Amino acid sequence: MEDCIFCKIISGEIPSYKIYEDDFVFAFLDINPTSLGHTLVVPKKHNKDVFDIEEEYLKRTILISKKIAKKMKEVLDCDGVNVYNNSGASAGQIIFHFHIHVIPRKNGDMVDFKPIKVSEDDLRLICDKLKIEE
Ligand code: 5GP
Ligand code: ZN
């Protein structure tokens, strides 16, 4: 869809730190992460929110979210993950292309869901660790 940042990321028009891609789903690092490794999992077809998304795309997107959560546990040694979606401006949605946030968590990490400071090097390093080849 024209003028959708996430559609442009999927097409490669806007660069991203890609974690995973198949025919239906694309996953990449959030540019303003809540914790290091914060990943966004998006269906390749433009659907706005949870009300709008086609079931097949929803299934595939949540299954890849699980795959990424497992990889986070494996390579980042996190204790848990937040897996969530914001649908609608009232719920805090900013980008109106459906996406699932997957956020690695450690016991006592004090994450407050505000962006943390990260460098390009941090993102590159974490991307290399989390990357899943299809
Ligand atoms: P929402 O509030 O819509 O659920 O979350 C949108 C997320 O997209 C935010 O966490 C924000 O940091 C992230 N985001 C916005 N623009 C970009 C971008 O151009 N690249 C990347 N990688 N993430 C983005
Ligand atoms: Zn889109």
Side-chain angles (χ1 to χ4, degrees), residues 43 47-55 58 84-88 91 93 95-100:
N47 283 147
K48 197 167 49 150
D49 55 28
V50 75
F51 304 107
D52 190 39
I53 189 168
E54 289 170 32
E55 288 190 2
L58 177 60
Y84 67 88
N85 159 258
N86 298 323
S87 278
Q93 187 173 11
I95 306 290
F96 291 88
H97 178 133
F98 181 88
H99 54 280
I100 292 177

Side-chain angles (χ1 to χ4, degrees), residues 1-8 44-46 96-97:
M1 192 209 188
E2 229 178 294
D3 287 338
C4 169
I5 291 175
F6 286 0
C7 282
K8 287 181 179 167
K44 281 190 168 175
K45 187 169 181 192
H46 182 93
F96 291 88
H97 178 133

Side-chain angles (χ1 to χ4, degrees), residues 23-72:
D23 290 343
F24 298 86
V25 179
F26 193 95
F28 55 99
L29 293 181
D30 193 306
I31 205 150
N32 287 128
T34 279
S35 78
L36 204 51
H38 184 166
T39 298
L40 301 173
V41 191
V42 310
K44 281 190 168 175
K45 187 169 181 192
H46 182 93
N47 283 147
K48 197 167 49 150
D49 55 28
V50 75
F51 304 107
D52 190 39
I53 189 168
E54 289 170 32
E55 288 190 2
E56 186 59 28
Y57 278 93
L58 177 60
K59 273 187 225 160
R60 289 179 183 269
T61 305
I62 193 69
L63 286 173
I64 298 307
S65 301
K66 174 172 176 152
K67 199 176 173 109
I68 290 168
K70 283 171 83 177
K71 182 82 188 247
M72 284 176 177

